[in-house]
Structures are given as structure tokens and as C-alpha cells.
Amino acid sequence: MAAILELRAVKAFYGQSEVLHGIDLAVEEGGMTVLLGANGAGKTTTLRAICGMVRSEGQILFAGRRLERCTTEQIAGFGVAHVPEGRGTFIGLTVEENLRIGAYAATGRPHDNMQLMYGYFPILAQRRRQQAGALSGGEQQMLAIARALMMSPRLLVLDEPSFGLAPRVVEAIFGIVERIRREQHVSVLLVEQNASLALAMADRAYLLETGYVVTSGSAKALADDPQIRRSYLGY
Ligand SMILES: Nc1ncnc2c1ncn2[C@@H]1O[C@H](COP(=O)(O)OP(=O)(O)OP(=O)(O)O)[C@@H](O)[C@H]1O
Ligand SMILES: [Mg+2]
């Protein structure tokens, strides 16, 4: 299968400080790639480089386009939807207003995905008139994902969607993301510290350590890797 996203020798910088040291990474069209690594490894920075939010070097190819010189807005307009760490929903707006903003934000075009999203996330339909700030953590994460999907992206980029959530809630959210990937033909790049769940769901996996990819391969191979098992799976 062809890659929808490919990073070749990508470096990223905060000011003078280089935090990614030339990483290679791919997401297959329609597939799910997981990026693992400890705190500070560079996972979020990798997503920021893809989305044009940090200075980078090397090549970032998305659906035949080079992204390195593009603005964050252009990249979103090409079909890359980013759900950042901490979710970034507008807590003072209602659920429905958040979704509507998601539809316009990237492209300035309305998309008619509201009912589709309420289908995948029925709890959001129930809470459509409530302020986002009144939702539980899990519901806010669902809203952030649904909002990103309102623009009909080709690639969904998720930064630790499980953060701070109970295992049962994480499983529910991952289950919905997996269904959306299959049914809506959205490719997914997932950053996770919850390695066992992520590796069970993904097809490819990468392990980052201090700005380097130290291991990569099929998610199955990484799940069977003794070092990964010891360090990230706890058995
Ligand atoms: N805005 C910033 N300015 C300067 N350095 C930063 C900035 N953001 C991150 N860094 C540094 O870049 C490195 C990679 O950070 P990054 O946030 O990408 O890690 P991460 O893998 O996402 O970690 P976590 O699991 O804690 O979210 C770290 O050394 C971090 O201190
Ligand atoms: Mg991070």
C-alpha cells in the first residue's frame, strides 16, 4: 500500500535547539500508525512538524504534496486534522458550536458531517446544547476528535487522546476512532503512551527516544519485541 504521509530525515527545532534529529516515518493510506515514546522523546514535536507549527528540515510528503513550506492553515486545508495535546476545545461554547467551528476552521467551507459525528458519538448529540466545559474529560476528548473530523480530513493526527482518562473510556474512544478509520477511509497517526492498546489497534509503529526513531516495524512485531514489552508494556 502507498503511504499517505511520509517523513524523510526530518529535524525539528525550538529556537537553536534541535529536538528531532532526522526521523523517517510513514502512515499507509487508510492505515493507523502509532508513535510511542517516553516523556520528552519528541512525539508532540513530530506532530507539530507535520502540521507546520515548528521549524523543520527534511521532507514531509502528504498525498503527493510537500508540506515543509506550508502554513498550518494550508496543511489543514489539504486534509490533515490535528487534535493537539490537551484537546483545545472551546470550553465556553456549546458542543454544537465547537463542531460547527471545526467544519469551517480549516477550509472556510461548511461540511455536513454533524449528523455523522452524532452517529459515532451519541453522547455528543445528547449534550449538543451544553457548554464544552461542562463535559467530562472523555466527552471533551470525543468532542475534540469529532471537531477535527468535521472537515472530512484524509489524515487524523491524535496526540495522546487517552491522557488522564479511565481505561474503560479510552477503550471506548479508541473503538470509535478505529470504526471511523475503517468506515470513513481516514488514515490515522496516533501518539500514545498507552502502548498495549495502541499496538493492538495500529498496523505500523515507531518508537522515539530523545529525537531518534530507535525501533520501527509492524505493530505486531513491536508488540512482540522483548525490549518494548519490558519498557512499555510492563510484562
Ligand atoms: N515549546 C518548546 N520550547 C522549547 N523546547 C521544547 C518545547 N516543547 C518541547 N520542547 C522540548 O522538546 C523535546 C521534545 O518534547 P515533546 O513535547 O515533543 O515530547 P513528547 O514526546 O511529546 O513528550 P510527552 O510525552 O511529555 O508529551 C523535549 O526535550 C522538550 O523539553
Ligand atoms: Mg507530547
Side-chain angles (χ1 to χ4, degrees), residues 128-165:
R128 70 216 291 167
R129 312 241 176 270
Q130 288 186 14
Q131 291 203 337
L135 301 179
S136 71
E139 290 162 358
Q140 286 195 31
Q141 186 62 59
M142 291 182 197
L143 176 58
I145 294 170
R147 193 183 64 172
L149 289 165
M150 286 293 286
M151 60 181 252
S152 301
R154 296 185 64 187
L155 176 69
L156 180 64
V157 171
L158 299 172
D159 198 345
E160 296 205 48
S162 69
F163 189 80
L165 303 180

Side-chain angles (χ1 to χ4, degrees), residues 44 47-48 51 53 80-85 148 155-159:
T44 294
L47 302 190
R48 286 187 184 142
C51 297
M53 299 163 77
V80 179
H82 180 207
V83 181
E85 266 180 327
L155 176 69
L156 180 64
V157 171
L158 299 172
D159 198 345

Side-chain angles (χ1 to χ4, degrees), residues 16 18 35 44 60 70 83 94 127 129 171-172 174 181 198 204 208 210 225 228-229:
Q16 293 306 306
E18 183 181 304
L35 186 55
T44 294
I60 303 176
C70 296
V83 181
T94 67
R127 306 225 186 284
R129 312 241 176 270
E171 273 177 43
F174 280 12
R181 180 192 68 76
R204 284 194 69 74
L208 270 185
T210 59
D225 182 309
I228 304 258
R229 291 168 73 109

Side-chain angles (χ1 to χ4, degrees), residues 66-83:
R66 298 280 297 268
L67 298 187
E68 311 94 69
R69 306 250 172 279
C70 296
T71 64
T72 300
E73 290 71 25
Q74 286 171 326
I75 292 166
F78 296 152
V80 179
H82 180 207
V83 181

Side-chain angles (χ1 to χ4, degrees), residues 120-233:
Y120 284 113
F121 301 99
I123 192 74
L124 297 182
Q126 285 175 34
R127 306 225 186 284
R128 70 216 291 167
R129 312 241 176 270
Q130 288 186 14
Q131 291 203 337
L135 301 179
S136 71
E139 290 162 358
Q140 286 195 31
Q141 186 62 59
M142 291 182 197
L143 176 58
I145 294 170
R147 193 183 64 172
L149 289 165
M150 286 293 286
M151 60 181 252
S152 301
R154 296 185 64 187
L155 176 69
L156 180 64
V157 171
L158 299 172
D159 198 345
E160 296 205 48
S162 69
F163 189 80
L165 303 180
R168 170 182 60 79
V169 177
V170 174
E171 273 177 43
I173 291 176
F174 280 12
I176 297 168
V177 168
E178 174 57 16
R179 255 186 73 206
I180 292 172
R181 180 192 68 76
R182 265 187 285 116
E183 295 172 4
Q184 304 299 320
H185 312 289
V186 183
S187 311
V188 180
L189 175 57
L190 172 67
V191 162
E192 257 305 325
Q193 295 207 38
N194 189 333
S196 56
L197 203 53
L199 286 173
M201 207 172 41
D203 43 85
R204 284 194 69 74
Y206 294 81
L207 175 60
L208 270 185
E209 272 175 21
T210 59
Y212 295 94
V213 170
V214 292
T215 309
S216 67
S218 75
K220 168 117 187 35
L222 262 74
D224 292 338
D225 182 309
Q227 187 208 334
I228 304 258
R229 291 168 73 109
R230 255 194 319 278
S231 308
Y232 294 91
L233 301 176

